[in-house]
Amino acid sequence: SSRQVNPQYEGTFVFPNDFPALQPDAPEPDNSDHPLFRAAPARGVCKVMCFHPWSDLTLPLMSLPEIRAVIDAWAELATELGASYPWVQIFENKGAMMGCSNPHPHCQVWASSFLPNEARLEDRTQRQHLSQHGVPMLLEYAEQEARRKERLVVENADWLVVVPYWATWPYQTLLLPRRHVCRLQDLSDSERDNLASIMQRLLIKYDNLFEVSFPYSMGWHGAPTGPYLEEDCRHWQLHAHYYPPLLRSATVRKFMVGYEMLAQAQRDLTPEQAAERLRSLPEVHYK
């Protein structure tokens, strides 16, 4: 059979996605005959990164050096793909509930020749805030949340995790650096160590919430790359979003349907309540 088998590997392992959504040589679309039907080429590459050779070892069960190796691999890929591509999206879909078809703990890295919608929105709002207030929005936000503490989940010398003020998913969190950092690859050695530590603490709390391997989609947002490396991107602050679907138990999830889809998101618990619950959970894994 022609199935590709991955070689033996000791740590993280990166390989091309067998079914990539983006390819480097996408064709130019035909010119549209109407302004309502415009198209542009979307080019890119899709990679998969396994976190660890053991197929049952999720991030919260890995050691700090193993998590640190994942962070270093993320930064390397962000640099390598970011040399030419404007946007490098690192994301992890964890659990079958988030559509993850391969149980082996892994994440994906998609690089694209354009800024996707979320990136464009974040670029615009952060740019506006800096020009109006003279300080990067998420840097100011992190300082405020660190002081108020009511939405704080975990913190250390370099990082904090909050349930954001605008959270729509019940246990949604935002991971923020304390200093102004534009991209993953700009993180210092100690910031990477402290990132491994805070990720481990957060993900252990997540698993402990309903005593289940906690499903979520997470992803990193940093300043655009490629041609943007030459531009001023001071308005950007690196951050990661965690979007978990669970609401009341290991099986009862939040559905974004009906009013949520057609009008706006409804909250089942406040960000303060969610943060309080996560904060009070033990930091030793239930297993």
Side-chain angles (χ1 to χ4, degrees):
S1 96
S2 65
R3 252 192 89 215
Q4 289 280 309
V5 177
N6 291 336
Q8 287 295 313
Y9 57 96
E10 301 289 302
T12 59
F13 177 72
V14 178
F15 58 97
N17 193 320
D18 294 335
F19 306 100
L22 295 161
Q23 292 176 320
D25 47 6
E28 284 286 338
D30 295 336
N31 279 334
S32 168
D33 58 350
H34 193 284
L36 290 177
F37 299 93
R38 281 186 314 196
R43 301 192 170 103
V45 290
C46 299
K47 293 183 180 287
V48 178
M49 182 202 297
C50 290
F51 294 147
H52 193 278
W54 296 1
S55 62
D56 56 349
L57 213 59
T58 56
L59 284 168
L61 298 172
M62 283 163 57
S63 70
L64 289 176
E66 288 167 340
I67 300 173
R68 168 68 202 258
V70 168
I71 292 162
D72 288 338
W74 281 343
E76 251 170 73
L77 275 172
T79 304
E80 179 194 320
L81 296 170
S84 49
Y85 286 105
W87 191 253
V88 180
Q89 184 59 64
I90 296 167
F91 65 96
E92 179 193 2
N93 291 328
K94 179 164 176 263
M97 200 178 272
M98 294 313 284
C100 181
S101 53
N102 182 350
H104 193 130
H106 69 283
C107 71
Q108 297 187 59
V109 185
W110 292 14
S112 63
S113 60
F114 56 94
L115 287 193
N117 294 350
E118 291 290 314
R120 295 223 314 265
L121 179 63
E122 289 197 359
D123 190 61
R124 193 168 71 236
T125 50
Q126 291 182 99
R127 197 182 286 279
Q128 278 170 347
H129 191 93
L130 184 68
S131 71
Q132 286 167 3
H133 304 277
V135 57
M137 180 173 74
L138 289 176
L139 185 64
E140 184 175 6
Y141 179 69
E143 283 163 2
Q144 285 290 322
E145 289 288 31
R147 221 178 50 235
R148 293 166 188 250
K149 296 210 183 313
E150 56 193 330
R151 284 171 293 273
L152 197 64
V153 178
V154 278
E155 63 177 332
N156 63 26
D158 294 314
W159 298 88
L160 62 152
V161 174
V162 298
V163 178
Y165 185 68
W166 56 86
T168 50
W169 293 92
Y171 293 100
Q172 179 178 335
T173 54
L174 181 65
L175 170 57
L176 292 158
R178 289 183 188 272
R179 91 171 160 102
H180 186 204
V181 185
C182 288
R183 301 176 177 95
L184 261 175
Q185 48 270 50
D186 303 336
L187 294 173
S188 71
D189 227 30
S190 64
E191 282 170 328
R192 293 177 187 209
D193 282 341
N194 276 331
L195 175 55
S197 166
I198 205 157
M199 278 172 55
Q200 188 191 56
R201 290 168 65 199
L202 171 66
L203 297 179
I204 285 173
K205 281 181 179 288
Y206 267 165
D207 278 11
N208 284 345
L209 180 60
F210 299 126
E211 300 206 342
V212 64
S213 186
F214 201 70
Y216 58 74
S217 272
M218 72 79 65
W220 284 99
H221 284 165
T225 45
Y228 294 88
L229 291 169
E230 305 302 310
E231 292 184 19
D232 181 0
C233 287
R234 268 177 320 175
H235 55 291
W236 268 90
Q237 172 74 326
L238 174 71
H239 59 281
H241 298 280
Y242 284 83
Y243 297 119
L246 293 179
L247 173 58
R248 282 187 253 285
S249 72
T251 53
V252 178
R253 60 168 297 169
K254 162 82 175 169
F255 286 98
M256 290 284 187
V257 292
Y259 194 85
E260 276 97 348
M261 259 184 182
L262 296 155
Q264 73 176 44
Q266 292 303 291
R267 289 174 170 176
D268 300 77
L269 66 172
T270 67
E272 295 77 20
Q273 288 168 323
E276 168 64 31
R277 263 203 86 175
L278 290 171
R279 218 178 16 246
S280 60
L281 288 165
E283 296 196 4
V284 175
H285 201 278
Y286 73 93
K287 278 192 165 165

